[in-house]
Structure formats: structure tokens, C-alpha cells
Amino acid sequence: MSATHATGGATGVGSMPGGDAREAAKTVTGTFEDFVHLPELPARGPGSDMIGRSLGLLVDLYAHVEPSGWRISDRPGRDTRRARSWLGEDLDALEEFTQDYRGRLKVQAVGPWTLAAALELRGGEALLQDAGACRDLAGSLAEGLRNHLADVRKRIPGAEIVLQFDEPSLTSVLQGRVRSASGYRTYRAVDRQVVEGALRDLFAVHDGDVTVHSCAPEVPFALLRRAGATGVSFDFSLLTEREDDAIGESVEAGLKLFTGVVPGTDAPLSDPAGSVMGVRKLWRRLGLAPGTLAESVVVTPSCGLAGASPGYARAALAHCVRAARSLADNPE
């Protein structure tokens, strides 16, 4: 690892506004010196959204768009082809702007539980209610990710790849809060060990760092750490003191915190030191050594930037870089 990697630094979450892959890649590579990410551009339509993009990665499992959302199909149709084509376009653009790149590179995919909560079976209910289908989905995703990671390594050979799983529905899956198609009932909570086991198997597809992102409340830090995640990405404003113990133990065990401290939609940006003041306070409250702050924390927006204006998205990413520098320069 080079010296720059000892610091947490800053990166983006995933999504960006607009539909121009080259413009997004140029912004990301121009802003982050040593921690770029593959941009996602959901404004282009179904297949470039978070769920559709990950469904396009699946092997021997297909989906198409219905008015209610994504539904299982027998064969790859237009929506699958579109998802794959956009991902290819995004990778082409990133490859163009990362010649001789030697830093960290984050690629994002939706995790198995959020995918199972979003994907419909033929009858319209969520795949989540069928344990066998959940296992098949996780297996297909693992296979697809192996192919995707091999492609990324070939295109950007000098990069150190960080794999991010987007799991905003994970807490709802664990707590039995995912609503059925009718909306009148919720699916049964999935057993924690089943959830943890599926995640552990999926994290194993990548031999580098694996981080999990959720901008929902009550992120299950301890479960993710046990499953083998090396980082957790979350909306810092949603933390409560209830999570203190889990966070303190996780940091001491070496978990990196991707703290979403910069608003994901247009908002006035405070000074960079002000943006990370809460992180410094958390460190003091947990009794952690200030010197560990910069290496344990990566600064990010609170969630994806798809809903932001292009100008704000650029400013927010640059602000993350300055806030990370402030954390490294003045940890106290």
C-alpha cells in the first residue's frame, strides 16, 4: 500500500446527476486523487437505476420492468440488454480517464437482501418471501460480480478495487418491515444468521476491501463486521447514541467508517472543518485516539447524488476532499 492509502480520504457513494458518462467520469477522476468510484447515472432510465444495473450483472437470471418495478423474466429482454450496455458505457468512460491510475477504485452493486426486497416474482410478490429464490439470487449475483470484477481489473489494472454493496433495505429485511405488493402486510423477518451467511458468501467473491452502504437508519454494524465487511458507509446524520458501542467495537476491530457528512441534495455547504465536527465529537465520546481518525474514516456525501444539480454534485465531492483533509490535519 502506498503512503496515501494509510489515510481514509474521501470518495463518492455511487450515483451522479445527468446522463453523460464521460462527464461523470471526468468529475470523479478530477476530484479524487486516490479513491475514485464508478459513477452510476439513474437519470438515463430503467437499467441505469441502482436495482436495474445490478440485475444486469446477474448470471442465468433475468428481469424486466413492469409498472410496479422489476420482475423476474424467463430470458434476457430489452431491459437487461440496456442495463448491460449502460454499464459498459460507464466502464469505457472511467477507463478513458484512469490511464496509469494507481489508487483505490470503488465499484458498487446492490446487495442480495435489498435486491430480494425489490425484485418481484411472477405473481407480483417480492422474491424475498421465497428462501430458495433468495439463495439462487445470491448465487447468481456472486457469479456476475466475479465477471464484473475481472472486467474492471482488466480495464484498470493498477487500481486497488473496493467492492461496495448497497443494502438500504437490510434493516427492514431483518426487522420484518418490507411491505407486500398489496401494502397491507409485511414479509416475515429473515433470520439474522441466514442474512449474515448470505452476505459472508458474497463478500468472499472479492479478495480486497468490501464495504456496505446504507443511508437508512439503524445500520447493523456488528452483523456486517461479523460477515466480513471491512467498511460501512452510512448517513452520519441518522446515527444515534444507541449505535455507539457497535461503532466503537467495529473501529477497534479495524472497520473503516465511510461517514456521509455532506448533504446528498443541494444545500448550503458549511466550512469543511464544520462538516466533520460531528465525527470528531463521536471519536471523543467513544474514547478513541484522535490519531486513528484519519485512517479509520473516509468522508463521503450522505447518500448518492442523483437528486442533486450537476453544479452542486461537483461542489459536494470537492467539499468531501477538503473535509477529509481537515480531519487528517486537525484530528483533535
Side-chain angles (χ1 to χ4, degrees):
M1 268 190 165
S2 72
T4 51
H5 292 193
T7 60
T11 191
V13 170
S15 65
M16 298 280 286
D20 185 333
R22 287 186 78 252
E23 189 55 43
K26 192 173 157 189
T27 296
V28 166
T29 53
T31 306
F32 301 114
E33 274 172 37
D34 72 334
F35 204 161
V36 301
H37 71 284
L38 176 64
E40 298 166 1
L41 301 170
R44 293 179 298 198
S48 58
D49 59 303
M50 186 174 95
I51 299 292
R53 188 182 183 88
S54 295
L55 292 173
L57 292 172
L58 299 178
V59 172
D60 297 333
L61 223 161
Y62 313 105
H64 64 277
V65 181
E66 291 276 333
S68 55
W70 287 89
R71 187 169 292 183
I72 285 278
S73 307
D74 293 324
R75 60 183 69 86
R78 191 184 59 193
D79 297 325
T80 301
R81 286 194 294 273
R82 195 184 286 149
R84 290 176 179 169
S85 150
W86 271 324
L87 178 58
E89 197 178 294
D90 294 340
L91 284 166
D92 289 345
L94 190 67
E95 186 179 357
E96 180 188 340
F97 289 103
T98 47
Q99 300 297 313
D100 305 320
Y101 178 70
R102 287 271 175 275
R104 289 168 290 177
L105 160 63
K106 183 164 66 66
V107 295
Q108 304 85 221
V110 176
W113 298 107
T114 296
L115 220 44
L119 184 57
E120 297 173 359
L121 295 164
R122 286 178 182 80
E125 290 298 341
L127 185 134
L128 183 66
Q129 70 170 20
D130 181 332
C134 286
R135 281 193 295 274
D136 292 345
L137 176 67
S140 171
L141 180 59
E143 192 64 22
L145 281 168
R146 280 190 199 98
N147 298 338
H148 179 46
L149 292 168
D151 182 28
V152 175
R153 276 190 205 100
K154 207 163 63 204
R155 289 167 174 271
I156 310 166
E160 180 189 325
I161 298 173
V162 175
L163 174 59
Q164 172 179 306
F165 285 98
D166 292 316
E167 278 284 19
S169 303
L170 184 59
T171 303
S172 296
V173 167
L174 288 164
Q175 297 181 355
R177 292 201 312 240
V178 177
R179 294 214 161 276
S180 66
S182 66
Y184 292 126
R185 61 183 185 87
T186 53
Y187 300 112
R188 245 202 336 261
V190 180
D191 182 273
R192 293 184 85 83
Q193 280 169 316
V194 171
V195 168
E196 192 180 314
L199 291 174
R200 184 177 293 110
D201 291 347
L202 258 163
F203 295 172
V205 305
H206 180 48
D207 55 9
D209 283 339
V210 173
T211 183
V212 177
H213 168 72
S214 169
C215 34
E218 298 173 73
V219 175
F221 287 93
L223 181 147
L224 294 172
R225 182 168 59 89
R226 284 196 306 273
T230 57
V232 176
S233 164
F234 56 97
D235 179 342
F236 191 80
S237 70
L238 297 177
L239 272 193
T240 66
E241 296 198 10
R242 281 202 305 272
E243 277 115 341
D244 277 7
D245 289 348
I247 289 182
E249 281 164 25
S250 297
V251 170
E252 284 174 345
L255 192 85
K256 273 205 177 9
L257 300 183
F258 288 66
T259 55
V261 294
V262 177
T265 47
D266 294 38
L269 294 170
S270 71
D271 68 302
S275 294
V276 285
M277 194 160 60
V279 182
R280 288 197 184 92
K281 275 190 186 137
L282 172 71
W283 236 244
R284 280 200 294 274
R285 208 165 70 222
L286 298 176
L288 295 165
T292 62
L293 246 179
E295 65 209 43
S296 299
V297 171
V298 179
V299 178
T300 72
S302 59
C303 210
L305 294 167
S309 65
Y312 176 79
R314 284 193 296 273
L317 295 182
H319 191 83
C320 288
V321 173
R322 287 195 293 273
R325 204 167 292 143
S326 146
L327 213 47
D329 293 346
N330 312 301
E332 296 288 351

